[in-house]
């Protein structure tokens, strides 16, 4: 596959339905259960071929099509994308960057994308077209920062995993497709190390550089553990 996929294990517990729960701080005492990497049945297939758009005909499954694993009808794919105008202020030092996030969970030929703000505390209630797009908040979860493509894509993953009660549609695993190693490695490998270092890039002293986007990583990890049951 040309892009990496991170697999999140979906919970069969119907009690895990809360939309954007309160953020739980991750500390050195936290027990972190990372997501796992998706390993395709056939590495020669593209993501589109491995997860074709289809409708699973069963009483407990959605009546609308989803991107379903052709080798396992209990696995669904969410496609993540984002962009950031003036990313890193490289184009114009005086203008603030503007980030935008989106995710796709089905195709809707001929239908325009839904564009809406999706605050962390509010569920999306706009038209459902298969692609949800929204502008990155100025202060995601209260932490002020310049917009960059990394938090924009991270925010898109969080929104996608919270968008629906995926286990309620009968899915046992949710695959997230992204081309950003920062998200794949962070969710499956790096996060326990960052937390173990108290989010500091150096173990010496309490000051110095810290790993960024802590608020978003904590929100994402909370959701991963909810889906993991």
């Amino acid at each position: 596959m040309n892009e990496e996929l991170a697999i999140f294990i979906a919970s069969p517990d119907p009690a895990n339905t809360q939309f954007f729960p309160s953020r739980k701080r991750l500390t050195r005492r936290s027990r972190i259960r990372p997501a796992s990497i998706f390993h395709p049945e056939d590495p020669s297939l593209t993501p589109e071929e491995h997860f074709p758009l289809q409708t699973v005909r069963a009483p407990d499954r959605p009546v609308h099509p989803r991107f379903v694993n052709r080798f396992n009808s209990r696995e669904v794919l969410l496609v993540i994308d984002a962009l950031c105008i003036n990313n890193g202020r490289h184009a114009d030092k005086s203008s603030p960057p503007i980030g935008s996030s989106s995710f796709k969970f089905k195709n809707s030929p001929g239908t325009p994308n839904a564009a809406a703000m999706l605050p962390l505390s509010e569920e999306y209630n706009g038209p459902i077209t298969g692609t949800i797009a929204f502008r990155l908040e100025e202060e995601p979860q209260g932490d002020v920062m310049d917009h960059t493509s990394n938090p924009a894509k991270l925010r898109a993953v969080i929104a996608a995993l919270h968008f629906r009660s995926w286990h309620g549609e009968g899915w046992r695993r949710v695959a997230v497709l992204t081309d950003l190693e920062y998200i794949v490695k962070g969710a499956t490998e790096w996060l326990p190390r960052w937390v173990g270092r108290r989010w500091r890039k150096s173990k010496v002293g309490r000051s110095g550089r810290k790993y960024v986007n802590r608020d978003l990583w904590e929100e994402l990890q909370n959701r991963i553990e909810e889906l993991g049951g």
Side-chain angles (χ1 to χ4, degrees), residues 62-206:
V63 297
H64 302 291
R66 299 284 186 264
F67 299 113
V68 183
N69 189 340
R70 67 190 303 164
F71 302 101
N72 186 341
S73 64
R74 292 290 178 174
E75 292 182 1
V76 66
L77 179 70
L78 305 176
V79 182
I80 302 302
D81 199 7
L83 59 84
C84 186
I85 300 174
N86 196 25
N87 188 37
R89 295 181 181 256
H90 295 306
D92 185 351
K93 297 294 184 182
S94 63
S95 298
I98 300 175
S100 178
S101 307
S102 70
F103 62 89
K104 177 182 287 189
F105 63 100
K106 67 176 182 177
N107 271 351
S108 296
T111 305
N113 292 347
M117 291 296 292
L118 188 62
L120 284 170
S121 60
E122 184 175 322
E123 187 170 0
Y124 177 78
N125 292 312
I128 307 302
T129 65
T131 299
I132 303 300
F134 56 96
R135 182 171 173 175
L136 183 63
E137 299 91 343
E138 293 299 323
E139 301 179 18
Q141 286 282 27
D143 293 355
V144 180
M145 65 185 75
D146 252 3
H147 287 187
T148 67
S149 58
N150 282 359
K153 289 191 176 184
L154 189 55
R155 181 65 180 86
V157 176
I158 295 171
L161 293 178
H162 275 290
F163 180 66
R164 298 187 69 82
S165 175
W166 298 111
H167 68 270
E169 291 191 351
W171 310 112
R172 293 177 182 168
R173 296 205 293 182
V174 180
V176 176
L177 176 64
T178 175
D179 59 357
L180 187 60
E181 183 185 52
Y182 172 70
I183 290 179
V184 176
K185 293 290 189 180
T188 62
E189 181 180 341
W190 295 340
L191 186 59
R193 186 190 317 160
W194 296 342
V195 175
R197 291 185 172 186
R198 295 190 178 96
W199 300 92
R200 297 194 301 267
K201 293 187 176 182
S202 173
K203 292 185 177 181
V204 180
R206 293 182 176 274

Side-chain angles (χ1 to χ4, degrees), residues 18-77:
Q18 187 177 359
F19 190 89
F20 289 125
S22 299
R23 167 181 158 200
K24 181 177 68 176
R25 301 287 288 187
L26 296 179
T27 69
R28 295 182 69 182
R29 295 183 179 181
S30 301
R31 182 182 177 185
I32 299 174
R33 293 176 293 171
S36 58
I37 291 288
F38 175 74
H39 299 286
E41 294 284 342
D42 185 348
S44 67
L45 297 178
T46 65
E48 294 84 358
E49 293 169 334
H50 206 293
F51 288 84
L53 186 70
Q54 56 185 308
T55 301
V56 180
R57 305 296 181 182
D60 64 333
R61 312 310 294 277
V63 297
H64 302 291
R66 299 284 186 264
F67 299 113
V68 183
N69 189 340
R70 67 190 303 164
F71 302 101
N72 186 341
S73 64
R74 292 290 178 174
E75 292 182 1
V76 66
L77 179 70

